[in-house]
Amino acid sequence: MRTGWNVAEVIGVTQETRTARTLRLRLPGLTGHRPGQHVDVRLTAEDGYTAVRSYSVASALPGDELELTVEELDDGEVSPYLVHQVAVGDQLEVRGPVGGWFVWDPADPSPVQLIAGGSGVVPLMAMIRAHAAASPGSTAPFRLLYSVRSPDSGYYSAELDELARSPLLSVTYVYTREAPAGSGITPHRLDAATLLAAVLPVDDHPAFFICGATAFVETVADWLVRAGYPADRIKTERYGGTGSRP
Ligand SMILES: Cc1cc2nc3c(=O)[nH]c(=O)nc-3n(C[C@H](O)[C@H](O)[C@H](O)COP(=O)(O)OP(=O)(O)OC[C@H]3O[C@@H](n4cnc5c(N)ncnc54)[C@H](O)[C@@H]3O)c2cc1C
């Protein structure tokens, strides 16, 4: 855990989807992070006004580099700047990585069920990448249930497809607005029946990591507890917003 503000240099930018961008940062002195942690980013205007927002680390890189993926919120103060204006060579004030609760421990052999709503997939991707990097060290089975608006709004699609070739990872998408052409799937919001059909069974004693907008996370966690999954096996990360439920 690193405290205090440090200056990171933007060393790469990748358009992830139409509305999201991945920033690759170099943070001198950083010696890796735990999968699931986040950093705080502070922007300071010329008049001294500051805005701080948290962003999960998407990467599982060992050294002094890390990646953040930021979704643009139309009326947002910080995210449009990070998605559209930040360029390679720019500097950003960063605090962290921080967080010791919403983290996956590669030494834990428990099966892992990841559930993401939209940009909530970011810290879960760090866990998936760390899991893949640890393999064959980690044989914990991983499942990801990922709620996206449409096929082209999912982050890291090609990489997830590739990683899901491993018997240790399976990925299930729920499309809320538009399903893949010709799939015959009817778009729908995640509901309790779909959730319970997709997740690891109670008897597997899975560890859950759920991340996304606050209402999504709280609703999904509630469905799981009602279905008999122990609350102490469910870890959540709420990204904020007052948006709709799943
Ligand atoms: C621990 C943590 C990790 C996070 N990691 C990421 C990440 O990896 N990628 C990422 O894109 N965001 C992440 N967020 C959300 C991020 O911190 C900001 O809240 C987000 O970028 C919006 O900031 P903004 O200044 O653009 O919008 P603001 O100006 O703060 O808000 C604009 C409007 O959007 C609403 N809003 C704020 N956040 C959300 C949200 N998450 N969903 C829906 N509506 C919202 C607000 O209520 C407001 O109406 C994380 C949040 C937390 C707490």
Side-chain angles (χ1 to χ4, degrees), residues 145-182:
L145 176 60
Y146 187 7
S147 173
V148 294
R149 285 172 176 236
S150 59
D152 62 2
S153 64
Y155 297 0
Y156 324 121
S157 304
E159 187 178 352
L160 280 173
D161 286 350
E162 184 61 33
L163 290 170
R165 291 171 187 269
S166 159
L168 292 180
L169 175 68
S170 72
V171 180
T172 303
Y173 288 92
V174 172
Y175 301 97
T176 60
R177 301 273 175 87
E178 180 192 333

Side-chain angles (χ1 to χ4, degrees), residues 73-96:
L73 297 184
D74 286 341
D75 56 347
E77 192 174 37
V78 169
S79 59
Y81 175 79
L82 296 176
V83 171
H84 294 295
Q85 293 188 41
V86 165
V88 170
D90 285 355
Q91 295 188 327
L92 291 175
E93 277 192 294
V94 169
R95 180 171 59 195

